[in-house]
Amino acid sequence: AAGVIQSPRHLIKEKRETATLKCYPIPRHDTVYWYQQGPGQDPQFLISFYEKMQSDKGSIPDRFSAQQFSDYHSELNMSSLELGDSALYFCASSVTGGSQETQYFGPGTRLLVL
Amino acid sequence: GQQLNQSPQSMFIQEGEDVSMNCTSSSIFNTWLWYKQEPGEGPVLLIALYKAGELTSNGRLTAQFGITRKDSFLNISASIPSDVGIYFCAGQLGWGAQKLVFGQGTRLTINP
């Protein structure tokens, strides 16, 4: 079965540079979520989109922005990168509506800021 | 904010032993999920629970959604080496594309 696709899988950036992470949800899924996971930590919610509209927002820095496109893929844009932004970034997708909204995670993008 | 307390934080067991871990919260959740994560990879869904009191199995894994909707447990029977990893519980407060709140994780190590 098709899964969530994320690209790139690994990314190395310098401080103050920008980065763009991409997420392609499972086919027919209409909702995407972004999570950040630091070393030894649990995933922390950043932001989510349903039908191209922002639906929920967590502790996402103002330097980060995201959007969902008409084909339901999403991009997380990160500017003025800081050393502390080094982490695993996961995208998850689901179908919204009904009583069972299960989030399926992608393999993640490992971002290293030097 | 909402917090999930997951225990134990780590487990060291012998192959073939049974494993039990649980999550509790002061908040009521409408969905409980259990994921397994291996190093550098994304969380993989093991079991999803949608109703209070629900007991669901997936092979050697069994999980339950607590009656109060504030807790859940995961049991693994007859552990094998490939069960090694970090297990996370996650709760969703409501419907409509809402975030997951994760527990701190249980790191499972198995001695052959």
Side-chain angles (χ1 to χ4, degrees):
Chain A
V4 177
I5 297 172
Q6 291 188 245
S7 67
R9 292 294 312 277
H10 303 273
L11 192 57
I12 300 176
K13 291 287 185 178
E14 300 277 344
K15 282 195 310 182
R16 292 179 288 277
E17 285 190 325
T18 62
T20 297
L21 280 54
K22 297 185 178 182
C23 169
Y24 298 86
I26 292 171
R28 291 179 292 282
H29 281 198
D30 51 19
T31 306
V32 293
Y33 311 77
W34 287 97
Y35 293 83
Q36 178 191 59
Q37 186 178 32
Q41 304 294 315
D42 55 281
Q44 296 292 315
F45 173 74
L46 294 177
I47 196 167
S48 62
F49 292 86
Y50 165 61
E51 286 290 348
K52 293 151 281 185
M53 299 288 289
Q54 181 181 308
S55 60
D56 199 1
K57 191 172 182 180
S59 49
I60 182 170
D62 292 340
R63 300 177 289 107
F64 294 5
S65 64
Q67 58 181 324
Q68 184 181 31
F69 295 86
S70 57
D71 64 351
Y72 295 104
H73 94 273
S74 177
E75 294 182 355
L76 177 65
N77 299 295
M78 311 161 70
S79 63
S80 302
L81 287 169
E82 302 174 355
L83 296 178
D85 296 329
S86 295
L88 274 167
Y89 290 84
F90 293 107
C91 172
S93 74
S94 72
V95 177
T96 291
S99 60
Q100 297 184 2
E101 297 179 358
T102 306
Q103 295 185 28
Y104 296 88
F105 284 76
T109 294
R110 180 178 294 278
L111 173 65
L112 178 60
V113 181
L114 301 175
Chain B
Q2 297 82 26
Q3 289 186 335
L4 294 184
N5 298 309
Q6 185 171 351
S7 64
Q9 291 188 20
S10 60
M11 300 185 73
F12 299 86
I13 64 170
Q14 298 294 322
E15 182 177 352
E17 288 185 9
D18 297 343
V19 171
S20 184
M21 60 192 78
N22 69 84
C23 277
T24 60
S25 174
S26 57
S27 301
I28 293 175
F29 289 93
N30 75 332
T31 300
W32 283 92
L33 303 164
W34 286 91
Y35 293 90
K36 179 187 177 186
Q37 186 177 29
E38 300 190 25
E41 300 296 325
V44 175
L45 181 68
L46 299 174
I47 292 181
L49 302 160
Y50 304 105
K51 296 181 182 178
E54 180 181 359
L55 181 70
T56 297
S57 293
N58 178 8
R60 294 178 295 106
L61 278 60
T62 301
Q64 186 160 29
F65 192 146
I67 287 291
T68 64
R69 299 171 64 189
K70 295 182 178 181
D71 63 299
S72 177
F73 72 75
L74 174 70
N75 290 337
I76 305 173
S77 62
S79 59
I80 60 177
S82 61
D83 291 334
V84 166
I86 302 177
Y87 292 79
F88 287 101
C89 63
Q92 189 170 23
L93 287 167
W95 290 284
Q98 293 202 17
K99 67 181 181 185
L100 292 179
V101 178
F102 282 82
Q104 302 94 328
T106 296
R107 181 182 295 275
L108 180 62
T109 303
I110 298 176
N111 298 316

